[in-house]
Amino acid sequence: MTIVYVPGDSAARSVGSDAVADSIALEALTRGLDIQIIRNGSRGALWLETLVEVLTDSGRIAYGPVSSSDVTSLFDANFMNGGPHALFQGVTDEIDWLAKQDRITFKRVGIIDPLSILDYEAHGGLVGLRTAIGMTADEIVEQVTQSGLRGRGGAGFPAGIKWRTVLNTSAEKKYICCNADEGDSGTFADRMVMEGDPFMLLEGMTIAGIAVGAVEGVIYIRSEYPDAIAVMNKAIAIASKFGWLGKNVLGSSHEFTIRIRTGGGSYVCGEETAMLESIEGKRGVVRSKPPLPAIEGLFGKPTVINNVLTLATIPAVLADGADAYKARGVGRSVGTQVFQLGGNIARGGIVELAFGITLNALINNFGDGTFTGSPVRAVQIGGPLGAYLPLSSSDISMDYESLLSAGGMLGHGGIVVFDESVDMAIQAKFAMEFCAFESCGKCTPCRLGSTRGAETITKIIDGVDVEGNKRLLLDLCEVMTDGSLCAMGGLTPLPVKSAMLHFPEDFDSRNGGVR
Amino acid sequence: MQFPAWSESQALEVISRICDEPGPVLVTLQAVQTFFGYVPDAAVALIANACNVSRADVHGVLTFYHDLRTELPPEVSIHLCVAEACQSMGSREVMENSRKAFATNSSVEIRDAYCLGNCALAPAASVNGNLRGRVSAQSLVAEVAKVAMR
């Protein structure tokens, strides 16, 4: 029997992987060939989707991008034995784009059958949890602190310090909340982890529970990710049946259960306190801090809130030790970053590497420039609240500190590329409109300032008192930054101001709104 | 998509299955919408009663979340991403052309989405919950025709 991998990841499905899987099954049946199709996650080379792999004596051989109309010719070319074909990509692990990465969190994604615990264990799964069970709570938190792992949702706050606060706060109940409300445009790594390696996230959350003394976990997944929700639900059921989640985690005296909450299509619920409100079933209105969620979080109880990628990295930290993780990266940005190349890019997808690669290397070496083939004009890093940077900043090192000093932020690692056709005044206006649409309404500068901001940029585009309105806009940005509780209002000025700074020509007087 | 017509007894059954959850209002609203396709006015009082909160509380949650709707959806719901990554690949034009293409088709609605997590295969859309990548107005027309065939 030959094993054929056809990704079931929703990005792969979005370009027809279901039809490819069906065609392969049908063709094999017609030809009387014995095959087993495994719907794996995606390897992250999304430009090659649908990436079909065949397990042969020389390893997994890749073909891509395959569409269902290619299937007959693949069989004719004897692809089941790695035969030559126009879509032949060679041994998957040796594809340059993948071979040059340094994967920790994405180690198993696209390789294993996402819902096979046997496959998971065969590829190093559950080693971290078993290690943690043999340690004291204090030792686990110390390992996480020593690893230097920082929150990968955007803020980059050291995970160990957060965990320590929850551990040291006594309460009759504590919670672990996984923030899977990955709303930033340009980011999809959380989704791919949940769809491609769900047990890793459950393992990370279980370790967190043991470390801080919580017996209940909640994963808050955005409704835009129906496949991720379905896979995580199945994974929880399987892990419970396996005796890993429940009263006695892997036969130990620890208890841990996990349930899923679905978002309501609100971007601001990715902000941690708005997320807590939403899990409590209320409007997703941001809370004032203090009290910190680590002290008074979900239902007023001490709560660890971490992003999917943070919790998914915990098993590797425990399994391989803090030093192995810390050995990667630059300065205070240790370990790896999961970069997500999106937008107008020829080779988009997941690039996991140690911190410190340059933006230029990511966009040109991995991304191979724009999809349209025209030159890169602007790059937005870190989602809709991140800065727009020109290509001249492409030598900056991609780490928290370097980006901050370049006037940007790394955020969740999303990189959106724009070609020459982009109008930066329109992009700045969109940033304000998005804020107006998604603001929770608590802070006036965010709720009203965003609407006034969009109006002001419209005036600039229309050539109405351009210089006066630019000054007004900058003043408004300052009020929003200083007068908003969370990043929604506080950081919306970042894309606006960076667009004005780096692309001033787009904000000059125009002839009837045309640049 | 097909949904059962509103029935108070069925609604109460759906609500009673979930209203004991901690922080029940949002999940209960979501359950009602999953069953009936929308949240009718009549459901608000039932949910308030079952969850032991005021109708104002339920109304507040119902009107906060973009997903929750108070009218039955048409046969086909297209969510077309209009966020930055898709903008860079021409989603504004796709939106304009799609609106024109479906202007006279009352069984299709097109809604803005802000990121569907398919940013490397932009522009992205979801058609009745099925994610699609590299879409155009033409590909969406073809997709809708497929849905109608089913």
Side-chain angles (χ1 to χ4, degrees), chain A residues 204-275:
Chain A
M205 289 180 73
T206 311
I207 294 170
I210 294 172
V212 303
V215 296
E216 212 178 310
V218 181
I219 311 175
Y220 185 83
I221 310 179
R222 63 198 301 254
S223 60
E224 291 85 346
Y225 287 178
D227 287 13
I229 294 169
V231 175
M232 288 309 308
N233 270 316
K234 284 182 197 156
I236 289 171
I238 292 167
S240 305
K241 203 171 160 193
F242 183 77
W244 147 13
L245 293 175
K247 286 277 175 206
N248 303 95
V249 172
L250 295 178
S252 71
S253 59
H254 298 288
E255 177 185 347
F256 199 68
T257 56
I258 298 176
R259 66 196 159 93
I260 288 174
R261 279 299 159 109
T262 306
S266 161
Y267 174 77
V268 80
C269 288
E271 194 281 335
E272 60 177 8
T273 62
M275 182 188 76

Side-chain angles (χ1 to χ4, degrees), chain A residues 132-203:
Chain A
I133 287 170
M135 294 162 77
T136 66
D138 199 65
E139 285 167 350
I140 302 172
V141 174
E142 192 54 26
Q143 274 287 311
V144 174
T145 309
Q146 284 304 319
S147 74
L149 175 67
R150 293 167 69 168
R152 292 169 124 188
F157 189 81
I161 295 178
K162 208 182 259 184
W163 287 26
R164 172 72 63 194
T165 310
V166 177
L167 173 62
N168 290 346
T169 307
S170 52
E172 82 273 21
K173 189 155 197 183
K174 297 178 183 181
Y175 291 99
I176 308 297
C177 280
C178 171
N179 186 342
D181 193 50
E182 184 179 50
D184 287 353
S185 174
T187 64
F188 43 86
D190 293 353
R191 177 184 65 67
M192 289 186 59
V193 162
M194 290 188 283
E195 292 178 12
D197 195 0
F199 292 126
M200 174 171 58
L201 176 57
L202 300 183
E203 184 179 348

